[in-house]
Amino acid sequence: MKKKYIVVLGILALLLIIAVGGITYYKERISLDEEQSYPEPFTLDKGYEIWLFNGEEWVDASDQEYFQAYSLVSINVNFQKLDIPYDPFVYCYYTDLNEEGVVCNERSGSAFLGINLGKLETPLDKEIFKLIKVSVFPDNNFHELDEFVLLDLDGKLLIK
Amino acid sequence: MNKRINTILLISFFLILFTNSVALGAKKPYVCNWQTGTCYRDTYDDGDYKTLEECQRKCSAASTTTTTKKQGAVDPSGYYICHKCMGGECMTIDSKEPCTTNCSACEKYTCKTCSFGKCESKTFNSPCSNSCEWQSDCSGVQCFKCLGTQCKATSELTPGSCIDECTGPEQCGGSSVPTTEDPFGKESGWYCEHSSGQKYGTCVYKKTLKTTFYTEEACLANCTFCNYCNKQYLGLWGDWHCLKNAKTCRSINDDQCQKDSDCENGTPTPELPPPAIRYACNTTTWQCTESSSGSYSTLSSCQTNCKKPTPSTRYSCNTTTWQCSKDPSGPYTSLSSCQANCKKPTPSTRYSCNTSTGQCYPDASGKYSSSSSCQASCKKSPPPLPSPTCSINKFELPNHVWTGVDYEAKWSTNSDCKWGEITCKLGDKDCGDNETLSGNVTVGSIDHEKSFHITTPGVYTYQLKACYDKDNENTCVTWEDTLGTELDYIEVQAVNLPWWQEIIPVLPDKLQGFLRGLIS
């Protein structure tokens, strides 16, 4: 009787391993497929790029003000196209499109191309939302008077 | 029963192994380049990481520069440090997504190639292969040049005078041939696989970081190997050995040696082509003779030009008779040029007036025919009246301003200034409606002030120009800093007002005071 239980448990364990392995395998394949369809950053000759996924392809939406809720967007900021009064500098950015708050990094101007915020989703609960705000500081003391705003873009929710 | 259980357990064991290898991925196709912080996909899936994401995390973490945190900043390891080639430079990107770009386009390839008879290292933008190893490789009459999209050896008249344009079809605009670029920096192409000691390699089409060729023909042309001399060290002293089929041949039968004894004094000097016969003109005997440095390539062309020049007739001027006569050492080569200059100078009988001094002086083209008539009219002219000189004494602007807040601009000029203008530039463009200071302004002897504000953040460049007569640029002057910078403009940096300063003015008085105290 005990042997029967062992056999059943062994088969169950085997099925579990196969299931977990299969799920992991397909997840990885999907993630690789998604990467291929991602727009190459910094291909537009602009200080910032906003790409919008229209269901089939990524299109340039840099001049777009209104967005539907849950739209998939990708934002890139090209520091080489913006006048930065400090070098090296600490840049900080904020967007309503993720939950990360203010993110800051110290960089040197000559070899730093910019930031790629990756895939983001427009919110449903904000009629006017912050697409991106980027400021630079001369150092990480973050004195408010030293703050130099490079970019401050708002988006509006398209209500049908 | 026991046998059955054992069989089931054995099958289970193999199934688990199989599942793990397939589902969890025994293949690790991604490799990290630790120097650039970029991940590549290995052709044979023989890498270190299973997924691109995993590779990029490890790779970027190793090459991440200083990162600071503020107000819940994301952990630096959450970012990918990506690279992209922009304007020939490898730039860094902070990316929330796995990298889709790399700096392979910025990579330079250095190969040895012939340059003015010397074997020198040269940098190419595409993969290349050495076309020479020793200086003797470049002393031949062959030079590699692009013919269409192919790199071919061409014959040069003067040994050692050519510069190789290419080492393979990669440098010959082979881009017209379609290639499949790999996003991870590897290129598909024909690659010569060579087994040691074999005369001929095998051309295979594959992805590789090594030199590839666009066409199979180009690969096959470079996939033949010749003998060459190589010094091999065993201890301090080295011995020359003839390595068999070890270096890409530049031409058929390019073998430097056949056995070790051929290399006893290093690379055997290749036989130079027989020197071309040239001819030189002996200007003493006016005969053509053979000379390696002669100016003529054929005897007939030398003989045509190697002739004693016949002396030309020359002329000189007799300054007593003012006549031209034949003179072998005379300064004139023609009679007409001599006669044109051989004239008795006529004394000046005319006069001109020097208005600066009020004195008359002899002048062949003078206005007056006699000294007395000149003196009667020649008077010293009065000095010109000084023109009014406009100057700017002061031009003051704040260097930093908040957008939307009013500030004072101050300037003053002397009384000679009748017209003034302040110009504004925002980058290369006019400031437009972004500020309220630029335009025509009043100038004069008193101090002037104007209230202005800037509406958009940016660095604004202001210039003040004042004129006595605005239509005469010579009477205008532009303000210049006299404190050492010698700049003729003032930069005003306009920045957005912090949120607390925007909110405070609209709050009740008590709350304003409370907030000010809190912030300060």
Side-chain angles (χ1 to χ4, degrees):
Chain A
M1 193 63 184
K2 279 183 179 176
K3 286 171 186 171
K4 270 187 182 177
Y5 282 125
I6 291 168
V7 172
V8 170
L9 282 172
I11 290 169
L12 282 175
L14 200 64
L15 286 172
L16 187 69
I17 290 165
I18 291 169
V20 170
I23 290 165
T24 313
Y25 177 70
Y26 282 105
K27 264 188 178 177
E28 284 185 4
R29 279 198 60 177
I30 289 163
S31 70
L32 281 173
D33 290 342
E34 280 177 356
E35 280 161 19
Q36 285 167 0
S37 65
Y38 186 70
E40 186 184 328
F42 308 110
T43 47
L44 306 177
D45 194 29
K46 295 176 176 176
Y48 66 92
E49 297 171 356
I50 299 173
W51 295 93
L52 175 71
F53 192 68
N54 65 7
E56 289 181 355
E57 56 181 351
W58 290 91
V59 292
D60 177 18
S62 303
D63 301 322
Q64 193 166 318
E65 194 180 1
Y66 287 89
F67 294 86
Q68 286 184 344
Y70 300 129
S71 294
L72 198 58
V73 295
S74 168
I75 302 176
N76 307 313
V77 182
N78 189 337
F79 277 55
Q80 294 293 317
K81 297 280 174 194
L82 301 168
D83 290 326
I84 301 163
Y86 313 115
D87 190 19
F89 55 84
V90 178
Y91 76 79
C92 297
Y93 75 82
Y94 172 81
T95 176
D96 279 335
L97 275 52
N98 63 24
E99 304 295 323
E100 292 177 357
V102 180
V103 178
C104 301
N105 282 306
E106 187 175 345
R107 290 286 179 267
S108 169
S110 56
F112 183 60
L113 182 56
I115 22 179
N116 171 9
L117 296 192
K119 290 175 205 162
L120 303 161
E121 220 170 51
T122 53
L124 173 70
D125 55 343
K126 288 178 182 168
E127 254 183 61
I128 298 175
F129 52 88
K130 186 65 67 190
L131 272 171
I132 178 85
K133 180 178 178 178
V134 186
S135 307
V136 285
F137 295 85
D139 48 46
N140 56 14
N141 294 321
F142 302 108
H143 290 308
E144 303 287 355
L145 288 174
D146 291 335
E147 181 179 11
F148 189 85
V149 180
L150 292 176
L151 205 59
D152 194 354
L153 298 173
D154 286 335
K156 292 175 184 170
L157 201 62
L158 187 66
I159 302 165
K160 285 184 177 176
Chain B
M1 191 65 183
N2 276 345
K3 270 189 177 179
R4 273 188 192 174
I5 291 168
N6 283 342
T7 311
I8 288 168
L9 285 174
L10 201 65
I11 291 168
S12 303
F13 177 72
F14 280 114
L15 272 171
I16 288 166
L17 274 181
F18 175 76
T19 311
N20 281 342
S21 64
V22 173
L24 296 176
K27 288 179 180 177
K28 290 182 174 179
Y30 296 100
V31 189
C32 170
N33 181 335
W34 299 104
Q35 286 184 320
T36 60
T38 321
C39 283
Y40 297 95
R41 190 181 185 120
D42 188 88
T43 318
Y44 303 106
D45 292 343
D46 190 19
D48 300 318
Y49 301 102
K50 204 154 42 77
T51 64
L52 179 64
E53 202 162 290
E54 181 195 2
C55 177
Q56 289 289 2
R57 276 190 202 285
K58 300 278 171 61
C59 215
S60 61
S63 60
T64 302
T65 51
T66 320
T67 308
T68 50
K69 292 184 176 184
K70 186 208 173 192
Q71 298 175 19
V74 173
D75 192 286
S77 63
Y79 282 85
Y80 301 100
I81 306 297
C82 302
H83 297 86
K84 186 172 185 177
C85 183
M86 297 284 277
E89 283 187 34
C90 189
M91 312 289 284
T92 311
I93 304 167
D94 290 349
S95 176
K96 291 294 288 180
E97 289 289 322
C99 302
T100 56
T101 56
N102 60 38
C103 274
S104 60
C106 286
E107 282 181 26
K108 299 287 179 191
Y109 301 86
T110 304
C111 291
K112 282 186 169 179
T113 181
C114 288
S115 177
F116 285 106
K118 289 181 181 175
C119 185
E120 291 178 348
S121 291
K122 200 174 171 185
T123 306
F124 295 95
N125 291 323
S126 54
C128 54
S129 50
N130 290 343
S131 67
C132 61
E133 189 69 28
W134 311 94
Q135 192 157 325
S136 56
D137 294 344
C138 302
S139 59
V141 292
Q142 282 194 324
C143 188
F144 284 81
K145 293 199 180 281
C146 287
L147 293 172
T149 55
Q150 296 296 307
C151 182
K152 292 194 172 174
T154 57
S155 294
E156 293 289 315
L157 290 173
T158 317
S161 67
C162 70
I163 303 174
D164 281 358
E165 279 181 2
C166 52
T167 62
E170 304 90 340
Q171 283 91 45
C172 297
S175 55
S176 57
V177 182
T179 58
T180 46
E181 268 207 23
D182 189 291
F184 305 103
K186 295 182 180 181
E187 284 185 357
S188 293
W190 290 94
Y191 172 64
C192 173
E193 281 187 344
H194 178 234
S195 301
S196 178
Q198 297 295 310
K199 178 76 176 168
Y200 299 101
T202 313
C203 281
V204 289
Y205 192 78
K206 62 190 276 188
K207 281 183 179 177
T208 174
L209 284 171
K210 296 174 182 173
T211 306
T212 55
F213 300 91
Y214 289 117
T215 61
E216 189 178 13
E217 289 77 13
C219 178
L220 288 170
N222 287 276
C223 207
T224 313
F225 294 85
C226 289
N227 304 347
Y228 85 104
C229 293
N230 183 44
K231 198 170 192 179
Q232 294 178 338
Y233 288 88
L234 190 68
L236 289 173
W237 291 271
D239 288 325
W240 287 96
H241 292 277
C242 182
L243 296 186
K244 299 284 174 61
N245 302 323
K247 198 178 83 168
T248 309
C249 301
R250 288 181 60 197
S251 60
I252 301 167
N253 300 326
D254 192 26
D255 291 336
Q256 289 182 352
C257 52
Q258 292 301 330
K259 51 188 184 298
D260 289 350
S261 57
D262 292 341
C263 302
E264 278 175 357
N265 295 316
T267 310
T269 311
E271 286 179 22
L272 286 171
I277 301 168
R278 300 190 73 81
Y279 298 90
C281 175
N282 184 334
T283 52
T284 312
T285 61
W286 299 105
Q287 294 290 317
C288 284
T289 53
E290 284 186 10
S291 167
S292 59
S293 59
S295 308
Y296 303 96
S297 57
T298 62
L299 182 62
S300 59
S301 64
C302 177
Q303 286 173 336
T304 306
N305 293 285
C306 191
K307 287 173 182 169
K308 189 177 181 180
T310 50
S312 60
T313 312
R314 302 187 74 85
Y315 299 87
S316 65
C317 175
N318 184 335
T319 52
T320 312
T321 61
W322 300 103
Q323 294 289 317
C324 285
S325 58
K326 284 182 182 175
D327 179 2
S329 58
Y332 302 104
T333 54
S334 69
L335 181 62
S336 57
S337 64
C338 177
Q339 287 174 335
N341 291 283
C342 192
K343 286 173 182 169
K344 186 181 180 181
T346 51
S348 172
T349 54
R350 303 192 73 82
Y351 296 87
S352 286
C353 171
N354 184 342
T355 53
S356 305
T357 60
Q359 296 291 313
C360 287
Y361 62 94
D363 180 10
S365 57
K367 187 180 170 185
Y368 303 100
S369 57
S370 68
S371 173
S372 56
S373 64
C374 176
Q375 287 296 347
S377 308
C378 192
K379 287 171 185 166
K380 201 174 178 177
S381 58
L385 289 168
S387 60
T389 310
C390 169
S391 66
I392 299 170
N393 305 322
K394 183 174 82 175
F395 182 40
E396 290 176 357
L397 292 175
N399 293 116
H400 299 274
V401 299
W402 297 117
T403 53
V405 177
D406 282 339
Y407 294 87
E408 290 291 327
K410 296 176 182 178
W411 66 94
S412 75
T413 66
N414 68 4
S415 57
D416 286 338
C417 299
K418 306 293 181 197
W419 178 87
E421 184 188 34
I422 293 175
T423 53
C424 175
K425 291 272 177 194
L426 180 56
D428 295 334
K429 295 175 184 171
D430 196 77
C431 297
D433 297 331
N434 293 320
E435 50 81 49
T436 58
L437 179 59
S438 59
N440 287 350
V441 291
T442 52
V443 287
S445 58
I446 54 166
D447 282 357
H448 294 276
E449 284 185 3
K450 185 179 177 183
S451 180
F452 76 101
H453 66 265
I454 294 174
T455 54
T456 313
V459 179
Y460 292 75
T461 306
Y462 285 99
Q463 273 191 323
L464 172 63
K465 182 181 177 183
C467 304
Y468 170 73
D469 176 8
K470 72 172 181 175
D471 297 325
N472 184 358
E473 198 62 31
N474 293 331
T475 66
C476 295
V477 64
T478 304
W479 173 86
E480 274 187 23
D481 181 23
T482 54
L483 295 175
T485 64
E486 294 180 357
L487 295 174
D488 61 353
Y489 59 85
I490 296 176
E491 276 188 351
V492 179
Q493 190 178 37
V495 292
N496 274 341
L497 203 60
W499 61 268
W500 68 89
Q501 291 202 25
E502 288 177 347
I503 291 169
I504 285 172
V506 296
L507 293 173
D509 289 347
K510 283 182 182 174
L511 203 53
Q512 279 188 29
F514 170 74
L515 266 179
R516 280 183 207 282
L518 196 69
I519 290 163
S520 64

